[in-house]
Amino acid sequence: MGERDVAAVKTWVRDARRIVLLTGAGMSAESGVPTFRDAQSGLWTNFRPEELATEDAFRARPRFVWDWYAARRVGMATVQPNAGHRAVAAFQQRHPGRLTVVTQNVDGLHQRAGSAGVLALHGNIAEDKWLDRPRACCTAENVQDGHPPRCAACGNLRRPAVVWFGELLPAAALVEAEEAASGSDLVLVVGTSGRVYPAAGLARATRGRVVVVNPEPTALDDVADVVLAGTSAMLLPRLLED
Ligand code: APR
């Protein structure tokens, strides 16, 4: 990564009217949140996320999958936004309406750093929802604690409010993200392997420039005008400073 590339991207940021920041797990790595495709730890060493993060897996082994999410929740609750998240929020405050955050992360760190209007395409790990369509008895008062909690009357299970493999993304957020990407002059693709669609496709939807920020090669490097091989907490404060 050359200083000349960093300088070029800084001028693109300065000149862009509409910027989209598309982020993935690497954005939170320097906060201490393990990325998705890093080695799994502990009890889950032998499972790939793709095998746990599905409706079928949850129905087959609700306690096991619930506990996997519970462990990740505990890990995420104790971490803090890093310099990258803070630089993004500060840029948005200085330049209202110029930068839209579109994230695949479910950790809420962009929001906690102060970013407004975050499009969280894969949901929020801190929230639950009903597994099956709620019946009249499925109310907050009827939630019975457990792994997972369930409706005391009908047994309907609570599940994490994240998007599992094979599920549709929240439609409104996806439409907004697509509009933001296609109307942007610059898409910054930060901390994502670029392998999971439709999120990765947003980087291909712009007619503007594309910049990848990642210490490793990604599946989106082919669409990038510039690839900056570095970390988000190191590079975003530089790229987004005035
Ligand atoms: N700064 C920037 N990028 C980093 C950093 C860092 N400090 N550390 C790691 N990375 C990069 C890795 O090189 C990798 O390319 O972050 C990327 C993380 O990739 P994944 O683990 O595949 O995460 P992500 O792209 O967000 O996965 C997409 O897949 O499992 C599903 O729904 C889940 O939202 C997730 C989606």
Side-chain angles (χ1 to χ4, degrees), residues 48-88:
R48 297 187 309 135
E50 290 85 340
E51 294 172 68
L52 296 170
T54 70
E55 182 181 332
D56 284 351
F58 187 75
R59 286 189 188 278
R61 312 172 77 182
R63 184 177 186 112
F64 189 75
V65 173
W66 179 264
D67 285 348
W68 180 61
Y69 278 97
R72 291 179 53 214
R73 275 180 182 165
V74 170
M76 289 181 194
T78 53
V79 300
Q80 299 300 328
N82 64 49
H85 299 104
R86 290 196 299 270
V88 172

mmCIF file of all heavy atoms in Angstrom, residues 48-88:
data_model
loop_
_atom_site.group_PDB
_atom_site.id
_atom_site.type_symbol
_atom_site.label_atom_id
_atom_site.label_comp_id
_atom_site.label_asym_id
_atom_site.label_seq_id
_atom_site.Cartn_x
_atom_site.Cartn_y
_atom_site.Cartn_z
ATOM 1 N N ARG A 48 -18.563 -24.912 11.661
ATOM 2 C CA ARG A 48 -18.444 -23.694 10.865
ATOM 3 C C ARG A 48 -19.694 -22.855 11.113
ATOM 4 O O ARG A 48 -20.784 -23.415 11.303
ATOM 5 C CB ARG A 48 -18.330 -24.036 9.383
ATOM 6 C CG ARG A 48 -17.051 -24.837 9.085
ATOM 7 C CD ARG A 48 -16.861 -25.016 7.600
ATOM 8 N NE ARG A 48 -18.053 -25.535 6.952
ATOM 9 C CZ ARG A 48 -18.557 -25.066 5.816
ATOM 10 N NH1 ARG A 48 -17.973 -24.061 5.203
ATOM 11 N NH2 ARG A 48 -19.639 -25.593 5.295
ATOM 12 N N PRO A 49 -19.561 -21.505 11.115
ATOM 13 C CA PRO A 49 -20.736 -20.663 11.337
ATOM 14 C C PRO A 49 -21.873 -21.009 10.394
ATOM 15 O O PRO A 49 -23.043 -20.977 10.767
ATOM 16 C CB PRO A 49 -20.230 -19.247 11.064
ATOM 17 C CG PRO A 49 -18.761 -19.309 11.236
ATOM 18 C CD PRO A 49 -18.336 -20.718 10.942
ATOM 19 N N GLU A 50 -21.520 -21.398 9.178
ATOM 20 C CA GLU A 50 -22.548 -21.731 8.189
ATOM 21 C C GLU A 50 -23.393 -22.925 8.643
ATOM 22 O O GLU A 50 -24.504 -23.122 8.164
ATOM 23 C CB GLU A 50 -21.910 -22.054 6.829
ATOM 24 C CG GLU A 50 -21.314 -20.852 6.116
ATOM 25 C CD GLU A 50 -19.897 -20.529 6.544
ATOM 26 O OE1 GLU A 50 -19.486 -20.981 7.647
ATOM 27 O OE2 GLU A 50 -19.202 -19.813 5.797
ATOM 28 N N GLU A 51 -22.846 -23.735 9.548
ATOM 29 C CA GLU A 51 -23.606 -24.897 10.027
ATOM 30 C C GLU A 51 -24.453 -24.566 11.244
ATOM 31 O O GLU A 51 -25.335 -25.337 11.617
ATOM 32 C CB GLU A 51 -22.647 -26.033 10.393
ATOM 33 C CG GLU A 51 -21.891 -26.595 9.206
ATOM 34 C CD GLU A 51 -20.817 -27.564 9.676
ATOM 35 O OE1 GLU A 51 -21.172 -28.616 10.184
ATOM 36 O OE2 GLU A 51 -19.635 -27.225 9.552
ATOM 37 N N LEU A 52 -24.151 -23.454 11.916
ATOM 38 C CA LEU A 52 -24.899 -23.084 13.119
ATOM 39 C C LEU A 52 -25.904 -21.973 12.835
ATOM 40 O O LEU A 52 -26.953 -21.907 13.478
ATOM 41 C CB LEU A 52 -23.934 -22.596 14.210
ATOM 42 C CG LEU A 52 -22.944 -23.646 14.727
ATOM 43 C CD1 LEU A 52 -21.898 -22.998 15.612
ATOM 44 C CD2 LEU A 52 -23.687 -24.728 15.495
ATOM 45 N N ALA A 53 -25.567 -21.117 11.881
ATOM 46 C CA ALA A 53 -26.378 -19.923 11.638
ATOM 47 C C ALA A 53 -27.431 -20.203 10.580
ATOM 48 O O ALA A 53 -27.480 -19.542 9.535
ATOM 49 C CB ALA A 53 -25.473 -18.762 11.219
ATOM 50 N N THR A 54 -28.256 -21.206 10.830
ATOM 51 C CA THR A 54 -29.356 -21.516 9.911
ATOM 52 C C THR A 54 -30.591 -21.893 10.725
ATOM 53 O O THR A 54 -30.483 -22.342 11.869
ATOM 54 C CB THR A 54 -29.041 -22.709 8.982
ATOM 55 O OG1 THR A 54 -29.023 -23.905 9.763
ATOM 56 C CG2 THR A 54 -27.719 -22.550 8.266
ATOM 57 N N GLU A 55 -31.746 -21.749 10.099
ATOM 58 C CA GLU A 55 -32.986 -22.135 10.776
ATOM 59 C C GLU A 55 -33.011 -23.641 11.041
ATOM 60 O O GLU A 55 -33.441 -24.083 12.117
ATOM 61 C CB GLU A 55 -34.185 -21.727 9.921
ATOM 62 C CG GLU A 55 -35.501 -22.057 10.604
ATOM 63 C CD GLU A 55 -36.723 -21.692 9.783
ATOM 64 O OE1 GLU A 55 -36.659 -20.758 8.967
ATOM 65 O OE2 GLU A 55 -37.765 -22.360 9.981
ATOM 66 N N ASP A 56 -32.524 -24.417 10.091
ATOM 67 C CA ASP A 56 -32.517 -25.873 10.282
ATOM 68 C C ASP A 56 -31.677 -26.258 11.495
ATOM 69 O O ASP A 56 -32.070 -27.126 12.282
ATOM 70 C CB ASP A 56 -31.948 -26.581 9.041
ATOM 71 C CG ASP A 56 -32.964 -26.613 7.907
ATOM 72 O OD1 ASP A 56 -34.132 -26.253 8.151
ATOM 73 O OD2 ASP A 56 -32.568 -26.978 6.786
ATOM 74 N N ALA A 57 -30.509 -25.628 11.625
ATOM 75 C CA ALA A 57 -29.629 -25.943 12.764
ATOM 76 C C ALA A 57 -30.321 -25.588 14.073
ATOM 77 O O ALA A 57 -30.270 -26.344 15.050
ATOM 78 C CB ALA A 57 -28.314 -25.183 12.637
ATOM 79 N N PHE A 58 -30.997 -24.435 14.085
ATOM 80 C CA PHE A 58 -31.674 -24.007 15.309
ATOM 81 C C PHE A 58 -32.809 -24.952 15.667
ATOM 82 O O PHE A 58 -32.996 -25.314 16.834
ATOM 83 C CB PHE A 58 -32.185 -22.568 15.139
ATOM 84 C CG PHE A 58 -32.760 -21.974 16.394
ATOM 85 C CD1 PHE A 58 -31.936 -21.560 17.422
ATOM 86 C CD2 PHE A 58 -34.131 -21.822 16.543
ATOM 87 C CE1 PHE A 58 -32.458 -21.003 18.590
ATOM 88 C CE2 PHE A 58 -34.664 -21.267 17.690
ATOM 89 C CZ PHE A 58 -33.824 -20.851 18.718
ATOM 90 N N ARG A 59 -33.570 -25.370 14.665
ATOM 91 C CA ARG A 59 -34.691 -26.285 14.950
ATOM 92 C C ARG A 59 -34.173 -27.648 15.413
ATOM 93 O O ARG A 59 -34.783 -28.301 16.249
ATOM 94 C CB ARG A 59 -35.580 -26.443 13.714
ATOM 95 C CG ARG A 59 -36.433 -25.214 13.447
ATOM 96 C CD ARG A 59 -37.457 -25.474 12.348
ATOM 97 N NE ARG A 59 -38.130 -24.243 11.973
ATOM 98 C CZ ARG A 59 -39.157 -23.712 12.635
ATOM 99 N NH1 ARG A 59 -39.643 -24.305 13.695
ATOM 100 N NH2 ARG A 59 -39.697 -22.572 12.234
ATOM 101 N N ALA A 60 -33.043 -28.068 14.837
ATOM 102 C CA ALA A 60 -32.509 -29.390 15.187
ATOM 103 C C ALA A 60 -31.883 -29.383 16.586
ATOM 104 O O ALA A 60 -31.998 -30.348 17.327
ATOM 105 C CB ALA A 60 -31.474 -29.824 14.151
ATOM 106 N N ARG A 61 -31.172 -28.285 16.909
ATOM 107 C CA ARG A 61 -30.444 -28.240 18.187
ATOM 108 C C ARG A 61 -30.614 -26.856 18.812
ATOM 109 O O ARG A 61 -29.668 -26.079 18.901
ATOM 110 C CB ARG A 61 -28.960 -28.499 17.939
ATOM 111 C CG ARG A 61 -28.715 -29.714 17.055
ATOM 112 C CD ARG A 61 -27.258 -29.832 16.673
ATOM 113 N NE ARG A 61 -26.478 -30.353 17.782
ATOM 114 C CZ ARG A 61 -25.163 -30.523 17.742
ATOM 115 N NH1 ARG A 61 -24.483 -30.185 16.676
ATOM 116 N NH2 ARG A 61 -24.529 -31.013 18.792
ATOM 117 N N PRO A 62 -31.855 -26.521 19.225
ATOM 118 C CA PRO A 62 -32.108 -25.150 19.675
ATOM 119 C C PRO A 62 -31.208 -24.716 20.836
ATOM 120 O O PRO A 62 -30.701 -23.603 20.832
ATOM 121 C CB PRO A 62 -33.585 -25.154 20.083
ATOM 122 C CG PRO A 62 -34.021 -26.579 20.099
ATOM 123 C CD PRO A 62 -33.058 -27.358 19.257
ATOM 124 N N ARG A 63 -30.984 -25.608 21.785
ATOM 125 C CA ARG A 63 -30.173 -25.213 22.939
ATOM 126 C C ARG A 63 -28.734 -24.923 22.523
ATOM 127 O O ARG A 63 -28.133 -23.925 22.928
ATOM 128 C CB ARG A 63 -30.202 -26.328 23.992
ATOM 129 C CG ARG A 63 -29.448 -25.905 25.223
ATOM 130 C CD ARG A 63 -29.466 -26.904 26.356
ATOM 131 N NE ARG A 63 -28.813 -26.256 27.471
ATOM 132 C CZ ARG A 63 -29.411 -25.882 28.582
ATOM 133 N NH1 ARG A 63 -30.673 -26.125 28.783
ATOM 134 N NH2 ARG A 63 -28.739 -25.243 29.514
ATOM 135 N N PHE A 64 -28.198 -25.778 21.689
ATOM 136 C CA PHE A 64 -26.811 -25.638 21.258
ATOM 137 C C PHE A 64 -26.603 -24.324 20.499
ATOM 138 O O PHE A 64 -25.679 -23.551 20.771
ATOM 139 C CB PHE A 64 -26.462 -26.844 20.375
ATOM 140 C CG PHE A 64 -25.010 -26.956 20.041
ATOM 141 C CD1 PHE A 64 -24.094 -27.389 20.987
ATOM 142 C CD2 PHE A 64 -24.551 -26.630 18.779
ATOM 143 C CE1 PHE A 64 -22.744 -27.501 20.684
ATOM 144 C CE2 PHE A 64 -23.202 -26.735 18.461
ATOM 145 C CZ PHE A 64 -22.301 -27.170 19.408
ATOM 146 N N VAL A 65 -27.490 -24.081 19.542
ATOM 147 C CA VAL A 65 -27.332 -22.868 18.728
ATOM 148 C C VAL A 65 -27.610 -21.625 19.569
ATOM 149 O O VAL A 65 -26.898 -20.617 19.470
ATOM 150 C CB VAL A 65 -28.242 -22.926 17.477
ATOM 151 C CG1 VAL A 65 -28.224 -21.611 16.715
ATOM 152 C CG2 VAL A 65 -27.800 -24.068 16.574
ATOM 153 N N TRP A 66 -28.625 -21.694 20.444
ATOM 154 C CA TRP A 66 -28.911 -20.555 21.335
ATOM 155 C C TRP A 66 -27.678 -20.235 22.190
ATOM 156 O O TRP A 66 -27.299 -19.072 22.349
ATOM 157 C CB TRP A 66 -30.108 -20.873 22.239
ATOM 158 C CG TRP A 66 -30.422 -19.756 23.185
ATOM 159 C CD1 TRP A 66 -30.000 -19.645 24.485
ATOM 160 C CD2 TRP A 66 -31.175 -18.571 22.908
ATOM 161 N NE1 TRP A 66 -30.454 -18.463 25.030
ATOM 162 C CE2 TRP A 66 -31.180 -17.788 24.076
ATOM 163 C CE3 TRP A 66 -31.848 -18.099 21.774
ATOM 164 C CZ2 TRP A 66 -31.828 -16.561 24.156
ATOM 165 C CZ3 TRP A 66 -32.490 -16.874 21.843
ATOM 166 C CH2 TRP A 66 -32.476 -16.121 23.028
ATOM 167 N N ASP A 67 -27.047 -21.263 22.722
ATOM 168 C CA ASP A 67 -25.887 -21.044 23.588
ATOM 169 C C ASP A 67 -24.697 -20.468 22.811
ATOM 170 O O ASP A 67 -23.928 -19.685 23.346
ATOM 171 C CB ASP A 67 -25.489 -22.345 24.299
ATOM 172 C CG ASP A 67 -26.459 -22.695 25.429
ATOM 173 O OD1 ASP A 67 -27.283 -21.828 25.796
ATOM 174 O OD2 ASP A 67 -26.393 -23.823 25.940
ATOM 175 N N TRP A 68 -24.570 -20.862 21.537
ATOM 176 C CA TRP A 68 -23.509 -20.284 20.700
ATOM 177 C C TRP A 68 -23.734 -18.773 20.569
ATOM 178 O O TRP A 68 -22.815 -17.975 20.737
ATOM 179 C CB TRP A 68 -23.507 -20.963 19.321
ATOM 180 C CG TRP A 68 -22.464 -20.460 18.372
ATOM 181 C CD1 TRP A 68 -21.110 -20.505 18.543
ATOM 182 C CD2 TRP A 68 -22.684 -19.829 17.102
ATOM 183 N NE1 TRP A 68 -20.474 -19.953 17.454
ATOM 184 C CE2 TRP A 68 -21.420 -19.529 16.552
ATOM 185 C CE3 TRP A 68 -23.826 -19.503 16.367
ATOM 186 C CZ2 TRP A 68 -21.261 -18.918 15.305
ATOM 187 C CZ3 TRP A 68 -23.662 -18.889 15.122
ATOM 188 C CH2 TRP A 68 -22.399 -18.604 14.602
ATOM 189 N N TYR A 69 -24.972 -18.380 20.286
ATOM 190 C CA TYR A 69 -25.282 -16.949 20.198
ATOM 191 C C TYR A 69 -25.111 -16.264 21.545
ATOM 192 O O TYR A 69 -24.625 -15.139 21.627
ATOM 193 C CB TYR A 69 -26.691 -16.721 19.644
ATOM 194 C CG TYR A 69 -26.708 -16.790 18.142
ATOM 195 C CD1 TYR A 69 -27.061 -17.962 17.488
ATOM 196 C CD2 TYR A 69 -26.314 -15.703 17.371
ATOM 197 C CE1 TYR A 69 -27.025 -18.049 16.104
ATOM 198 C CE2 TYR A 69 -26.279 -15.777 15.991
ATOM 199 C CZ TYR A 69 -26.640 -16.951 15.367
ATOM 200 O OH TYR A 69 -26.585 -17.020 13.999
ATOM 201 N N ALA A 70 -25.505 -16.956 22.615
ATOM 202 C CA ALA A 70 -25.389 -16.347 23.944
ATOM 203 C C ALA A 70 -23.920 -16.058 24.260
ATOM 204 O O ALA A 70 -23.585 -14.994 24.795
ATOM 205 C CB ALA A 70 -25.998 -17.265 25.001
ATOM 206 N N ALA A 71 -23.029 -16.971 23.883
ATOM 207 C CA ALA A 71 -21.602 -16.769 24.133
ATOM 208 C C ALA A 71 -21.088 -15.587 23.312
ATOM 209 O O ALA A 71 -20.298 -14.766 23.797
ATOM 210 C CB ALA A 71 -20.826 -18.033 23.785
ATOM 211 N N ARG A 72 -21.535 -15.478 22.070
ATOM 212 C CA ARG A 72 -21.099 -14.349 21.238
ATOM 213 C C ARG A 72 -21.661 -13.039 21.784
ATOM 214 O O ARG A 72 -20.989 -12.009 21.749
ATOM 215 C CB ARG A 72 -21.526 -14.567 19.786
ATOM 216 C CG ARG A 72 -20.750 -15.722 19.137
ATOM 217 C CD ARG A 72 -21.188 -15.958 17.714
ATOM 218 N NE ARG A 72 -21.130 -14.753 16.918
ATOM 219 C CZ ARG A 72 -21.980 -14.462 15.931
ATOM 220 N NH1 ARG A 72 -22.948 -15.304 15.616
ATOM 221 N NH2 ARG A 72 -21.874 -13.341 15.253
ATOM 222 N N ARG A 73 -22.879 -13.079 22.275
ATOM 223 C CA ARG A 73 -23.454 -11.866 22.870
ATOM 224 C C ARG A 73 -22.642 -11.371 24.048
ATOM 225 O O ARG A 73 -22.405 -10.179 24.189
ATOM 226 C CB ARG A 73 -24.852 -12.151 23.396
ATOM 227 C CG ARG A 73 -25.916 -12.045 22.381
ATOM 228 C CD ARG A 73 -27.250 -12.354 23.009
ATOM 229 N NE ARG A 73 -28.257 -12.291 21.983
ATOM 230 C CZ ARG A 73 -29.482 -12.775 22.108
ATOM 231 N NH1 ARG A 73 -29.841 -13.345 23.239
ATOM 232 N NH2 ARG A 73 -30.333 -12.681 21.131
ATOM 233 N N VAL A 74 -22.244 -12.301 24.894
ATOM 234 C CA VAL A 74 -21.449 -11.922 26.065
ATOM 235 C C VAL A 74 -20.160 -11.260 25.596
ATOM 236 O O VAL A 74 -19.760 -10.203 26.092
ATOM 237 C CB VAL A 74 -21.154 -13.157 26.947
ATOM 238 C CG1 VAL A 74 -20.123 -12.824 28.015
ATOM 239 C CG2 VAL A 74 -22.434 -13.675 27.576
ATOM 240 N N GLY A 75 -19.506 -11.885 24.590
ATOM 241 C CA GLY A 75 -18.265 -11.316 24.061
ATOM 242 C C GLY A 75 -18.479 -9.921 23.503
ATOM 243 O O GLY A 75 -17.667 -9.014 23.726
ATOM 244 N N MET A 76 -19.576 -9.715 22.798
ATOM 245 C CA MET A 76 -19.820 -8.421 22.152
ATOM 246 C C MET A 76 -20.244 -7.343 23.147
ATOM 247 O O MET A 76 -20.032 -6.161 22.918
ATOM 248 C CB MET A 76 -20.871 -8.567 21.062
ATOM 249 C CG MET A 76 -20.338 -9.325 19.858
ATOM 250 S SD MET A 76 -21.576 -9.460 18.569
ATOM 251 C CE MET A 76 -20.830 -10.714 17.516
ATOM 252 N N ALA A 77 -20.865 -7.771 24.247
ATOM 253 C CA ALA A 77 -21.364 -6.776 25.211
ATOM 254 C C ALA A 77 -20.226 -6.055 25.915
ATOM 255 O O ALA A 77 -20.396 -4.930 26.377
ATOM 256 C CB ALA A 77 -22.258 -7.470 26.235
ATOM 257 N N THR A 78 -19.057 -6.696 25.980
ATOM 258 C CA THR A 78 -17.974 -6.107 26.762
ATOM 259 C C THR A 78 -16.982 -5.327 25.904
ATOM 260 O O THR A 78 -16.034 -4.766 26.426
ATOM 261 C CB THR A 78 -17.207 -7.217 27.511
ATOM 262 O OG1 THR A 78 -16.811 -8.200 26.556
ATOM 263 C CG2 THR A 78 -18.080 -7.872 28.574
ATOM 264 N N VAL A 79 -17.180 -5.282 24.585
ATOM 265 C CA VAL A 79 -16.210 -4.586 23.730
ATOM 266 C C VAL A 79 -16.665 -3.146 23.465
ATOM 267 O O VAL A 79 -17.816 -2.787 23.733
ATOM 268 C CB VAL A 79 -16.007 -5.329 22.388
ATOM 269 C CG1 VAL A 79 -15.496 -6.739 22.635
ATOM 270 C CG2 VAL A 79 -17.290 -5.327 21.571
ATOM 271 N N GLN A 80 -15.741 -2.363 22.958
ATOM 272 C CA GLN A 80 -16.016 -0.947 22.678
ATOM 273 C C GLN A 80 -15.749 -0.648 21.207
ATOM 274 O O GLN A 80 -14.904 -1.295 20.596
ATOM 275 C CB GLN A 80 -15.077 -0.058 23.519
ATOM 276 C CG GLN A 80 -15.220 -0.223 25.015
ATOM 277 C CD GLN A 80 -16.631 0.123 25.491
ATOM 278 O OE1 GLN A 80 -17.289 0.994 24.916
ATOM 279 N NE2 GLN A 80 -17.097 -0.580 26.514
ATOM 280 N N PRO A 81 -16.440 0.367 20.657
ATOM 281 C CA PRO A 81 -16.106 0.809 19.295
ATOM 282 C C PRO A 81 -14.617 1.179 19.220
ATOM 283 O O PRO A 81 -14.047 1.639 20.214
ATOM 284 C CB PRO A 81 -16.973 2.058 19.097
ATOM 285 C CG PRO A 81 -18.087 1.932 20.092
ATOM 286 C CD PRO A 81 -17.512 1.173 21.260
ATOM 287 N N ASN A 82 -14.001 0.965 18.056
ATOM 288 C CA ASN A 82 -12.581 1.307 17.913
ATOM 289 C C ASN A 82 -12.418 2.608 17.112
ATOM 290 O O ASN A 82 -13.403 3.249 16.732
ATOM 291 C CB ASN A 82 -11.809 0.126 17.303
ATOM 292 C CG ASN A 82 -12.260 -0.205 15.887
ATOM 293 O OD1 ASN A 82 -12.359 0.686 15.037
ATOM 294 N ND2 ASN A 82 -12.542 -1.480 15.629
ATOM 295 N N ALA A 83 -11.158 2.957 16.861
ATOM 296 C CA ALA A 83 -10.866 4.237 16.206
ATOM 297 C C ALA A 83 -11.523 4.331 14.830
ATOM 298 O O ALA A 83 -11.862 5.437 14.380
ATOM 299 C CB ALA A 83 -9.352 4.417 16.095
ATOM 300 N N GLY A 84 -11.709 3.197 14.174
ATOM 301 C CA GLY A 84 -12.378 3.205 12.867
ATOM 302 C C GLY A 84 -13.836 3.598 12.992
ATOM 303 O O GLY A 84 -14.319 4.483 12.278
ATOM 304 N N HIS A 85 -14.562 2.932 13.910
ATOM 305 C CA HIS A 85 -15.977 3.291 14.126
ATOM 306 C C HIS A 85 -16.106 4.777 14.501
ATOM 307 O O HIS A 85 -17.002 5.471 14.028
ATOM 308 C CB HIS A 85 -16.590 2.482 15.280
ATOM 309 C CG HIS A 85 -16.606 0.997 15.091
ATOM 310 N ND1 HIS A 85 -15.735 0.160 15.724
ATOM 311 C CD2 HIS A 85 -17.417 0.191 14.350
ATOM 312 C CE1 HIS A 85 -16.003 -1.099 15.389
ATOM 313 N NE2 HIS A 85 -17.014 -1.111 14.560
ATOM 314 N N ARG A 86 -15.204 5.220 15.354
ATOM 315 C CA ARG A 86 -15.307 6.611 15.834
ATOM 316 C C ARG A 86 -15.043 7.605 14.696
ATOM 317 O O ARG A 86 -15.700 8.646 14.605
ATOM 318 C CB ARG A 86 -14.330 6.847 16.990
ATOM 319 C CG ARG A 86 -14.725 6.104 18.272
ATOM 320 C CD ARG A 86 -13.981 6.649 19.489
ATOM 321 N NE ARG A 86 -12.542 6.502 19.377
ATOM 322 C CZ ARG A 86 -11.857 5.433 19.799
ATOM 323 N NH1 ARG A 86 -12.480 4.424 20.378
ATOM 324 N NH2 ARG A 86 -10.543 5.381 19.650
ATOM 325 N N ALA A 87 -14.082 7.266 13.819
ATOM 326 C CA ALA A 87 -13.775 8.167 12.696
ATOM 327 C C ALA A 87 -14.978 8.293 11.757
ATOM 328 O O ALA A 87 -15.263 9.367 11.224
ATOM 329 C CB ALA A 87 -12.557 7.647 11.939
ATOM 330 N N VAL A 88 -15.694 7.183 11.564
ATOM 331 C CA VAL A 88 -16.870 7.193 10.686
ATOM 332 C C VAL A 88 -17.959 8.089 11.288
ATOM 333 O O VAL A 88 -18.541 8.945 10.606
ATOM 334 C CB VAL A 88 -17.405 5.756 10.483
ATOM 335 C CG1 VAL A 88 -18.734 5.769 9.749
ATOM 336 C CG2 VAL A 88 -16.373 4.903 9.752
#
